[in-house]
Amino acid sequence: MPINPVVEDELDSLTRSLLLPSPGAGVYARTGLFEQVVEGLSSFITRHREPETQILRFPPVMSRSQLEKSGYLHSFPHLLGNVSCLQGNEAEIHALVERKEWMSELSSTELVLSPAACYPLYPMVADSGPVPAKGLMFDVASDCFRRESTHEVGRFQSFRMREFVCVGTPEQVLAFRTRWVFLAQRLAKLLGLPHQIAPASDPFFGRAGRLAAMSQLEQSLKFELLVPFRAEEPPTACMSFNCHRDHFSTVWKLFNENGDQAHTGCVAFGLDRLALGLFKTHGLDLQKWPVVVRENLSF
Ligand code: ATP
Ligand code: ZN
């Protein structure tokens, strides 16, 4: 008899059959069944994209200096992953890998792992000149990495994020955010997902970070769409609706056509979490999902 057997609940066993663990905690091989739902979700989100939205797909890595300049190291240093490589000629690299402590010979490259899909966008927008009077909208996505300290169901180290981003006047960005808080609830309903919207804050680092989080809450800069995963636990954030005000436009010198500083905002969809929420709600057998949900997800 095992001592202290781990008690597996319905969500654990569901997750175990959809996501195969790798040696890294919070890193999974995704099954075909899981991917079918993620692909259905991606197309569903595309069908609800607003007109005149520019599409960009980013790789899982981005410029380290751009992320530094965005203030990430100040706000979330605990979540950052860096890309390091062995450098040198053939003989030097051979010698390095022979060492027991070869990892300490790694040197940083100019790349980090993207922690959110929208970071690489702002410097690109700034490079393309002033923001036109009607504002700009983007559809971006990337695999993201965060060095999470816990790995409960739905908290991955590597996960996929899709975002719609708005750049324009403060009023345009606020209207975009308000529209999406409303629209997202309609989407959740179309998918049969139980949900609620709640004010939220980002996981800022340290004591100064706690103040930043409080101020973010006070100013209503972030909302989340939460889906219950386990009855006895707080619900899980599956989408977020963020106003950055002039944070990125100050860093990247983003101006509107009239010379005013631009504002930015984004709505983020956590694709892996949304898929898990759908399986948790409707079960593992796609044929038994409500017809409307299956139609909306194209299967
Ligand atoms: P949390 O409060 O759960 O840490 P967050 O506020 O840091 O999330 P955002 O930065 O708003 O999340 O990220 C956008 C979306 O990406 C989240 O709403 C969520 O769906 C998804 N996401 C964030 N972190 C993770 C993670 N570690 N694993 C899976 N999905 C995640
Ligand atoms: Zn964003």
Side-chain angles (χ1 to χ4, degrees), residues 8 36 82 105 128 156 172 177-178 191 207 221 236 238 247 249 278 295:
E8 196 181 75
Q36 196 178 342
N82 186 42
E105 305 297 336
S128 63
F156 303 72
Q172 284 166 339
R177 211 263 302 254
T178 307
L191 297 176
R207 202 152 65 94
L221 296 183
T236 301
C238 290
H247 174 78
S249 56
L278 284 165
E295 279 170 4

Side-chain angles (χ1 to χ4, degrees), residues 26-267:
V27 178
Y28 303 94
R30 303 130 182 168
T31 57
L33 182 59
F34 191 76
E35 283 309 283
Q36 196 178 342
V37 170
V38 169
E39 279 166 28
L41 265 172
S42 300
S43 315
F44 176 68
I45 294 168
T46 300
R47 287 201 297 283
H48 291 86
R49 181 169 58 211
E50 296 185 303
E52 296 189 61
T53 300
Q54 299 176 50
I55 303 161
L56 286 166
R57 295 290 173 261
F58 292 119
V61 292
M62 65 170 285
S63 151
R64 187 183 48 174
S65 62
Q66 285 188 350
L67 198 70
E68 276 174 18
K69 198 167 159 183
S70 300
Y72 198 83
L73 271 184
H74 177 71
S75 301
F76 311 107
H78 55 308
L79 299 178
L80 183 61
N82 186 42
V83 178
S84 300
C85 295
L86 292 170
Q87 288 174 24
N89 61 29
E90 191 178 333
E92 286 164 345
I93 290 180
H94 265 308
L96 292 178
V97 293
E98 289 305 316
R99 297 191 193 159
K100 201 163 160 240
E101 294 301 322
W102 66 271
M103 291 94 69
S104 56
E105 305 297 336
L106 290 165
S107 7
S108 286
T109 64
E110 70 288 7
L111 297 172
V112 288
L113 303 176
S114 291
C118 67
Y119 280 104
L121 178 68
Y122 308 106
M124 293 177 77
V125 180
D127 275 351
S128 63
V131 180
K134 62 181 188 334
L136 292 171
M137 284 201 288
F138 298 89
D139 168 348
V140 297
S142 77
D143 279 54
C144 295
F145 174 88
R146 294 185 186 175
R147 185 68 179 159
E148 301 280 7
S149 55
T150 59
H151 304 109
E152 66 271 23
V153 170
R155 190 167 295 282
F156 303 72
Q157 290 201 77
S158 182
F159 56 96
R160 287 158 295 175
M161 198 187 291
R162 174 89 176 262
E163 297 193 51
F164 293 134
V165 181
C166 176
V167 185
T169 64
E171 295 75 26
Q172 284 166 339
V173 172
L174 208 59
F176 162 87
R177 211 263 302 254
T178 307
R179 258 188 341 264
W180 269 103
V181 169
F182 179 78
L183 195 53
Q185 294 176 82
R186 230 187 74 209
L187 300 197
K189 224 169 174 179
L190 288 172
L191 297 176
L193 273 179
H195 61 276
Q196 69 190 77
I197 297 282
S201 59
D202 283 310
F204 291 104
F205 184 65
R207 202 152 65 94
R210 281 192 283 283
L211 294 177
M214 270 165 58
S215 149
Q216 195 182 23
L217 274 170
E218 268 164 25
Q219 298 179 71
S220 302
L221 296 183
K222 185 178 182 92
F223 290 90
E224 287 177 335
L225 183 135
L226 307 169
V227 175
F229 276 24
R230 278 198 176 92
E232 67 282 11
E233 286 175 8
T236 301
C238 290
M239 301 181 201
S240 72
F241 314 90
N242 308 285
C243 268
H244 317 125
R245 305 184 81 169
D246 60 357
H247 174 78
F248 290 111
S249 56
T250 303
V251 169
W252 297 111
K253 303 196 172 31
L254 268 166
F255 292 99
N256 291 322
E257 230 171 46
N258 64 3
D260 289 349
Q261 190 140 45
H263 273 211
T264 65
C266 66
V267 38

